[in-house]
Amino acid sequence: MKIKTSLLIIAALLIGANLHAQEQKPPFLKYQNSQWVDSIMENLTPNERIAQLIMVAAYSNRGPEHKQEILKSIREQKIGGLIFFQGDARTQANLMNDYQLVSEVPLLGAIDAEWGLGMRLDNTISYPFQMALGAIQNDSLIYELGQEVARQIKRSGLHLNFAPVVDVNNNPDNPVINFRSFGENKENVSQKGIAYMQGMQDANLLTTAKHFPGHGDTDTDSHYALPQINHAFNRLDSLEMHPFKKLIDAGIGGVMVAHLDIPALDSTGVPSTLSKPIITGILKDRLGFEGLIVTDAMNMKGVTEGNEPGIVDKDAILAGNDLLEFTEDVPKAIAEIRKAINQGLITQAEIDKRVRKLLAVKQWVGLDQYEPTPLKNIDEEISTLEAEWLNRKLVEASLTVLKNDQNIMPVKELQDVKIASVSFGAKKETVFQESLSLYTDVKHFQVGLDAKTSELKKIFEELKAFDLIIAGIHDDSRFPRNTMKFSNSVQNLMGEIFEEPNSIVAYFKNPYSLNKLKGVENAAGLILTYQDNKITQELAAQLIFGGVGANGKLPVSVGKKFKSGEGLEVEGGLRLKYTSPEDAGMNSEILNGGIDSLMQQAMDMKAIPGGQILVARKGKVVFHKAYGLHDYSDTVKVKKTDLYDLASVTKISSALPAIMKLADEGKFDLDAGIDTYLPFFRNSNKAGVPFREILAHQARFKPWIAYWKNTLRKNGSYRWNTFKKDSSARYPVKVSENLWLHRRYQKKMFRAIKKSELEEEAKYKYSGLAFYLLPTIVEEITGEDFRSYINENFYDKLGATTLTYNPSEEFNSASIVPTEHDYFFRHKPIKGMVHDEGAVMMGGISANAGLFSTANDLAKLMQMYLNMGEYAGVRYIEEDTFKEWTKTQFPENDNHRGLGFDKPYLEYKGESSNTAKDASKASFGHTGFTGIMAWMDPEEDLLYLFLSNRVLPTRGNTRLYSLNTRTNIQQVLYDAIEE
């Protein structure tokens, strides 16, 4: 009865054979009767022809015994190919070279690389799983992935990828396909599968669509048992087989057949791999597929259960397969297939036809002109920086926002929000949390899978003090399983957070598992990343603060909570994006190699003990790195979160933005003098000198005054009304731990500035005197405390929380980089207090010097400058104002300076210039005495920050200048620009 039913099914399928006309043929078919194929066929014995249809498993992480087994199969059985599993690329390529050397016919090399070589090989790139790719709206990215995966596989010595998976995953409990599928929408699966396939095949790598006729609606893993699919033929034909039809039409080279029991297609109960009605009747005859038909692995329980090795391989050939993958007993398989030929179950001509097909594949992939795979630089050439950048692009494009109530993302007004983050499933601070901290101050908590109730209660109480709670829900596996291992207590805490009106959830797990998390749909913001790794965590954090945007669409339904196709668009490019150089049109190799070598040279020459470098282009941070040590004599490594003394970069980072803002408001006049805002200066030689000349360093002011020297008697002791060892109401100004300055001494400093003589000639001469006065001028105009004013109007809004004066008041000493060993004034090493003597006598708060910062936080202010006064949708300074202040003011007087800002010399002076030769005339910035450089070039939309403490151990160390490290690194940036 079963046989009769199967025959009826075959007849029905044959009647419908012409319903599906193939539009494109597999690319290798033209070689089936080529001269090369003919020559190979002439020299193959009947058994060797059978052996060409067999592919055995090879590993590059096993010992010599395994290699000898493979060599034996090649020499004695003359197998046609190898499928490689675990190992590494170099060893794999080397082994393949050895195997090819002993094979009379070139071997076809295959691998399962659904998400790239990282699926199988160590130290190679794992691209996003197909479910994440299913969320991407730009299929050209999927094509680009196909091209890149093909390049990497070919570089590793192989020719065939058992991918893409085009199963429509419409069963959330599917244990074997699941995240390996593009999703539940058959059209989306088809489109993504075609793009991926075409990318690979256009790069001359053969592909196979799998697992025919569709493995998506199973709840059994065919590695361990035979799944059964009980749908009617019409459903299978219209849904499960739909992507296969589309890929066949598009010219896919191969199809892999699954191990499935599908009564509607074959009532005999045999696995589909062994089913002639399915393979020959449907795939070949009805769908018209002429390409390579491959079995799923022949060692899987789904096909081996109840079937003997060799016999099962013979049955697979009889069913219509062309290539047997992972044959366990090669001699027996050849013998059984030979027996079948002798018995008339299959003809030698049919075997020969399949062998020709396989040889045609070998010719198409270039094996007719085989050359060994070169091993030199193989690892570097596989995992290139460009390949890594593609990975980031794919992850970014897959980000899916399912909730964004009240446009909670991107978070806008940082100054008004107290933020906490909780990483669930983490024992230490996560990459996600570190990335959140790039944007503003965030208090971080971690909660384990089964954290104690007492711990959870304590955290929840602390969270009540915050305005915004960001929850990162992490996976405990590199694969996003559809599981929820968090204890009920932990899930209850999650639920409490979800109910908060200002809560954002970044979900780093399988989307299906959202259905198992009670209340997650109540969160104001919900981001889905599909998997948990460094890149997904970085980009999810950037999405929350507007560094990147999102337009991914959910590829599967999540119970009744979310439907396939849902996904909200969120604006990106609001704040700095942290990415790769290629994303901003720069060459990683030039940038990384050039900066690293110059920094190493500076450290080797003891020009600096270490430093931080940050480079951004087009609003994208493309290089951010810490180098060396805090001090030559210690072992504390510089971190990107360490604070440096900015020295004179303070000039453009503190009072300058304040007075630009006040100028916009009509409260500050560039043509007015100091005496307009500080009447104390009315009866001085500086009265009426316009600020335009002062800020351009053309006001005839003296360069500096050694204020601290005026505190000394001839015998070296301090005058009675200057310093004391202990603080008091009269001596409140801290200069060091045992040195406190009189409260009125600032007035003496102002008096010294007022009485200082003017230079004879009105020409460019750098002076910091007026910058001691600017904070007081800001206070006089605004009626506010200077530090509060710049914090509220600039630093807090920017999220620049480490851009501050007197950092030792609020930061751990371990995170502050020391400066000079001061043995002539403070008589101790300087750390956590401003290096500049005049600034420290101002209580550390001056516009001449005094600011500290990390490179990252300084970059936010400088990026606002580069944007001509705007950042994160907030206008800080009017564009016209900014253009005026960053313009050279008195070029006719051989003065290259802007207003407060330094500018390139009017003529480039080689090594003695203040900028790189390629810096544009529109560029601007400043340098600092401690070894700082901040420079912006609007023509290239380029930001460059160099932070160091070159004054260690003494300011007499000028090697940084003689090496010209800062401007040489700046030139590297221009060299790296590819556009």
Side-chain angles (χ1 to χ4, degrees):
M1 183 64 183
K2 286 185 178 180
I3 295 175
K4 183 177 179 180
T5 304
S6 297
L7 291 173
L8 289 173
I9 292 173
I10 295 173
L13 295 174
L14 289 173
I15 291 171
N18 294 323
L19 297 179
H20 192 76
Q22 190 171 333
E23 296 177 3
Q24 294 186 43
K25 292 184 179 294
F28 59 83
L29 291 180
K30 60 185 177 181
Y31 295 114
Q32 288 182 103
N33 297 298
S34 69
Q35 185 176 350
W36 184 78
V37 170
D38 286 344
S39 67
I40 298 295
M41 289 295 292
E42 288 175 4
N43 291 293
L44 291 176
T45 67
N47 277 6
E48 289 171 352
R49 294 182 184 187
I50 295 171
Q52 281 295 304
L53 308 180
I54 293 174
M55 179 173 278
V56 302
Y59 297 80
S60 54
N61 63 349
R62 294 188 179 180
E65 299 84 359
H66 174 69
K67 181 178 180 180
Q68 291 306 315
E69 289 175 8
I70 301 296
L71 288 172
K72 182 178 180 181
S73 291
I74 296 169
R75 289 192 182 105
E76 296 182 6
Q77 275 77 52
K78 310 294 178 67
I79 58 172
L82 300 170
I83 173 172
F84 277 88
F85 289 90
Q86 290 82 10
D88 66 90
R90 175 178 291 275
T91 306
Q92 174 180 286
N94 190 35
L95 284 171
M96 193 61 172
N97 287 343
D98 290 346
Y99 296 149
Q100 294 283 24
L101 189 64
V102 301
S103 182
E104 295 176 7
V105 179
L107 296 161
L108 185 67
I111 193 167
D112 278 304
E114 296 166 18
W115 52 86
L117 284 176
M119 180 173 174
R120 295 300 187 198
L121 302 184
D122 298 334
N123 303 316
T124 55
I125 300 172
S126 286
Y127 288 102
F129 300 128
Q130 285 190 194
M131 187 167 288
L133 300 180
I136 295 174
Q137 298 306 292
N138 179 6
D139 287 349
S140 64
L141 278 175
I142 311 298
Y143 178 88
E144 187 179 346
L145 171 63
Q147 292 261 292
E148 179 56 31
V149 167
R151 185 193 67 80
Q152 293 180 30
I153 291 175
K154 289 166 66 180
R155 184 65 184 88
S156 73
L158 306 181
H159 324 95
L160 168 61
N161 189 8
F162 288 139
V165 173
V166 292
D167 301 310
V168 180
N169 199 89
N170 39 31
N171 187 335
D173 296 323
N174 193 318
V176 64
I177 304 302
N178 206 294
F179 60 85
R180 296 165 62 196
S181 166
F182 289 117
E184 71 178 41
N185 182 291
K186 66 181 183 180
E187 298 299 343
N188 190 44
V189 171
S190 301
Q191 291 165 14
K192 298 293 189 296
I194 289 170
Y196 196 15
M197 173 273 289
Q198 288 178 335
M200 288 187 278
Q201 290 193 175
D202 285 355
N204 254 87
L205 182 84
L206 197 70
T207 65
T208 59
K210 64 184 187 184
H211 307 80
F212 186 82
H215 208 317
D217 194 7
T218 67
D219 56 11
T220 302
D221 188 339
S222 52
H223 290 86
Y224 307 107
L226 180 63
Q228 187 175 78
I229 297 179
N230 288 305
H231 294 302
F233 173 79
N234 288 341
R235 149 68 190 259
L236 297 167
D237 182 58
S238 63
L239 180 57
E240 272 76 10
M241 284 189 271
H242 180 83
F244 294 95
K245 297 176 188 178
K246 293 294 186 181
L247 268 77
I248 290 170
D249 286 346
I252 186 132
V255 170
M256 177 183 286
V257 182
H259 305 312
L260 299 169
D261 175 13
I262 314 174
L265 302 183
D266 186 340
S267 60
T268 63
V270 302
S272 47
T273 336
L274 311 181
S275 170
K276 191 168 185 177
I278 292 174
I279 298 173
T280 299
I282 297 177
L283 184 55
K284 286 185 175 182
D285 297 338
R286 188 170 192 275
L287 302 186
F289 182 60
E290 300 178 50
L292 191 70
I293 301 176
V294 187
T295 68
D296 205 343
M298 297 300 288
N299 69 327
M300 293 166 61
K301 294 292 185 182
V303 72
T304 60
E305 195 72 34
N307 295 302
E308 294 182 24
I311 295 175
V312 73
D313 301 283
K314 175 260 296 181
D315 290 342
I317 292 292
L318 294 180
N321 291 287
D322 301 313
L323 182 62
L324 303 172
E325 180 209 342
F326 211 137
T327 294
E328 293 187 288
D329 190 332
V330 176
K332 190 170 182 181
I334 294 172
E336 289 296 333
I337 295 169
R338 168 55 47 202
K339 187 188 299 183
I341 295 171
N342 295 337
Q343 293 173 343
L345 300 177
I346 188 171
T347 66
Q348 184 65 50
E350 177 59 30
I351 294 293
D352 290 351
K353 182 179 178 181
R354 298 185 196 181
V355 176
R356 281 185 173 275
K357 188 189 294 186
L358 194 72
L359 292 174
V361 170
K362 293 185 178 185
Q363 184 170 1
W364 181 76
V365 298
L367 284 171
D368 59 325
Q369 299 177 15
Y370 166 75
E371 291 183 2
T373 300
L375 300 181
K376 185 178 180 181
N377 299 326
I378 186 171
D379 293 325
E380 296 82 0
E381 291 176 10
I382 286 176
S383 299
T384 63
L385 293 167
E386 291 80 6
E388 293 284 3
W389 177 43
L390 174 59
N391 200 9
R392 294 189 72 88
K393 286 196 294 183
L394 291 163
V395 173
E396 182 179 340
S398 72
L399 295 175
T400 304
V401 174
L402 296 177
K403 292 287 298 297
N404 195 23
D405 296 349
Q406 306 299 316
N407 292 318
I408 194 171
M409 296 182 289
V411 178
K412 297 257 182 10
E413 298 177 358
L414 300 181
Q415 74 278 14
D416 298 327
V417 185
K418 189 177 180 183
I419 305 173
S421 79
V422 188
S423 277
F424 290 94
K427 295 181 179 179
K428 61 181 181 179
E429 189 170 302
T430 61
V431 171
F432 176 60
Q433 292 178 314
E434 291 172 1
S435 300
L436 291 171
S437 292
L438 290 172
Y439 290 96
T440 190
D441 184 37
V442 181
K443 171 69 173 177
H444 300 304
F445 301 87
Q446 293 82 40
V447 175
L449 293 173
D450 53 358
K452 295 180 180 178
T453 303
S454 57
E455 177 188 350
L456 298 174
K457 286 182 178 178
K458 180 181 178 183
I459 290 174
F460 185 66
E461 286 302 313
E462 290 189 57
L463 290 176
K464 290 179 179 179
F466 294 89
D467 305 306
L468 172 64
I469 303 173
I470 301 171
I473 301 180
H474 297 271
D475 215 319
D476 63 340
S477 167
R478 62 176 290 231
F479 298 115
R481 306 295 186 189
N482 185 10
T483 56
M484 187 61 61
K485 295 184 179 179
F486 295 103
S487 69
N488 290 334
S489 297
V490 171
Q491 290 190 51
N492 288 338
L493 175 59
M494 291 181 187
E496 296 279 3
I497 292 173
F498 302 154
E499 292 292 338
E500 292 294 316
N502 291 321
S503 62
I504 297 173
V505 177
Y507 199 72
F508 300 103
K509 293 171 61 64
N510 188 309
Y512 285 127
S513 63
L514 276 171
N515 202 40
K516 300 176 181 178
L517 191 55
K518 185 178 179 181
V520 68
E521 67 275 15
N522 297 324
L526 176 58
I527 302 166
L528 187 59
T529 70
Y530 301 95
Q531 57 197 95
D532 195 357
N533 57 42
K534 182 175 182 290
I535 298 176
T536 59
Q537 291 188 41
E538 288 177 353
L539 289 172
Q542 293 188 46
L543 171 59
I544 289 170
F545 288 104
V548 302
N551 66 350
K553 303 296 181 185
L554 185 62
V556 295
S557 295
V558 180
K560 296 181 179 179
K561 293 180 179 180
F562 304 103
K563 298 302 180 186
S564 173
E566 288 187 26
L568 304 170
E569 292 197 12
V570 175
E571 174 189 9
L574 191 70
R575 294 189 177 87
L576 287 169
K577 176 182 180 180
Y578 298 82
T579 183
S580 66
E582 283 71 21
D583 197 8
M586 301 181 79
N587 183 291
S588 292
E589 188 174 353
I590 293 173
L591 193 67
N592 295 332
I595 296 175
D596 284 350
S597 63
L598 287 166
M599 283 298 286
Q600 192 60 52
Q601 178 195 50
M603 292 186 291
D604 290 344
M605 297 292 289
K606 294 195 180 300
I608 53 174
Q612 293 174 9
I613 307 288
L614 186 145
V615 179
R617 186 165 189 248
K618 300 180 179 180
K620 303 169 182 178
V621 176
V622 297
F623 188 98
H624 185 200
K625 194 169 180 180
Y627 293 87
L629 305 172
H630 278 207
D631 191 327
Y632 297 109
S633 62
D634 64 27
T635 59
V636 179
K637 292 183 178 179
V638 177
K639 299 188 291 294
K640 290 187 287 187
T641 52
D642 289 337
L643 285 75
Y644 276 84
D645 183 334
L646 300 183
S648 284
V649 170
T650 300
K651 289 181 172 68
I652 65 169
S653 305
S654 60
L656 197 67
I659 59 176
M660 280 194 281
K661 175 178 170 58
L662 294 172
D664 286 338
E665 297 169 355
K667 299 175 182 178
F668 180 82
D669 186 355
L670 279 171
D671 295 320
I674 291 175
D675 55 310
T676 302
Y677 305 105
L678 296 177
F680 174 71
F681 281 85
R682 283 177 184 167
N683 298 318
S684 74
N685 56 5
K686 298 168 185 63
V689 179
F691 267 103
R692 187 178 299 274
E693 293 184 6
I694 293 170
L695 294 173
H697 298 276
Q698 190 172 290
R700 299 168 58 203
F701 287 10
K702 294 291 182 183
W704 68 295
I705 297 173
Y707 308 103
W708 69 275
K709 289 185 178 180
N710 297 329
T711 67
L712 298 177
R713 297 188 179 98
K714 290 183 179 180
N715 64 4
S717 62
Y718 295 116
R719 298 181 189 276
W720 74 271
N721 62 342
T722 56
F723 290 108
K724 297 296 181 184
K725 291 183 178 180
D726 296 313
S727 64
S728 66
R730 294 183 65 192
Y731 293 86
V733 181
K734 184 177 181 180
V735 173
S736 71
E737 291 297 332
N738 55 0
L739 203 59
W740 296 80
L741 181 65
H742 195 282
R743 58 190 168 90
R744 293 178 180 171
Y745 200 82
Q746 180 178 320
K747 292 183 179 180
K748 291 186 177 182
M749 295 173 67
F750 281 19
R751 192 176 299 119
I753 295 172
K754 178 180 178 180
K755 292 182 176 180
S756 64
E757 296 180 359
L758 296 176
E759 298 288 337
E760 293 183 3
E761 201 174 344
K763 62 180 183 180
Y764 168 63
K765 193 158 192 175
Y766 182 79
S767 172
L769 296 188
F771 288 87
Y772 287 100
L773 309 173
L774 289 177
T776 302
I777 290 174
V778 171
E779 291 180 342
E780 289 294 324
I781 295 173
T782 64
E784 297 182 42
D785 171 73
F786 170 68
R787 194 172 179 182
S788 298
Y789 181 84
I790 57 173
N791 281 336
E792 291 171 6
N793 286 281
F794 296 97
Y795 307 158
D796 291 348
K797 288 183 177 181
L798 291 165
T801 55
T802 65
L803 192 54
T804 187
Y805 288 102
N806 295 324
S808 57
E809 295 176 357
E810 49 185 317
F811 291 95
N812 189 302
S813 174
S815 66
I816 305 172
V817 179
T819 51
E820 187 174 14
H821 296 177
D822 181 358
Y823 295 117
F824 58 90
F825 174 35
R826 283 167 276 188
H827 305 287
K828 64 180 297 181
I830 305 304
K831 181 176 182 179
M833 300 191 72
V834 60
H835 171 269
D836 181 85
E837 295 86 2
V840 79
M841 293 174 71
M842 295 283 290
I845 302 173
S846 167
N848 186 60
L851 278 179
F852 285 69
S853 183
T854 62
N856 183 66
D857 277 350
L858 181 60
K860 298 168 187 175
L861 180 66
M862 298 298 114
Q863 186 63 45
M864 183 267 281
Y865 289 171
L866 191 54
N867 296 344
M868 294 291 121
E870 186 274 336
Y871 185 75
V874 176
R875 172 60 62 182
Y876 292 84
I877 300 164
E878 292 301 322
E879 184 173 352
D880 289 344
T881 300
F882 212 92
K883 287 181 177 178
E884 176 63 25
W885 287 55
T886 57
K887 181 181 72 176
T888 299
Q889 297 295 307
F890 300 103
E892 71 282 357
N893 203 24
D894 199 28
N895 183 344
H896 67 282
R897 305 286 297 214
L899 295 172
F901 293 99
D902 197 2
K903 298 278 294 176
Y905 291 162
L906 298 178
E907 293 184 7
Y908 183 67
K909 300 179 181 180
E911 289 292 309
S912 62
S913 281
N914 64 337
T915 64
K917 65 180 176 63
D918 286 345
S920 78
K921 294 300 181 183
S923 68
F924 57 92
H926 216 286
T927 55
F929 188 74
T930 53
I932 311 295
M933 185 172 185
W935 210 268
M936 292 133 279
D937 191 337
E939 289 193 4
E940 289 293 351
D941 204 355
L942 185 65
L943 166 61
Y944 166 49
L945 299 179
F946 181 105
L947 273 57
S948 76
N949 52 339
R950 70 98 196 159
V951 291
L952 265 178
T954 167
R955 67 188 63 192
N957 178 14
T958 59
R959 295 187 189 96
L960 186 66
Y961 304 148
S962 59
L963 289 171
N964 212 27
T965 302
R966 293 180 293 184
T967 52
N968 285 341
I969 288 177
Q970 187 182 32
Q971 183 58 46
V972 170
L973 314 189
Y974 291 97
D975 294 341
I977 294 173
E978 295 185 316
E979 299 172 348

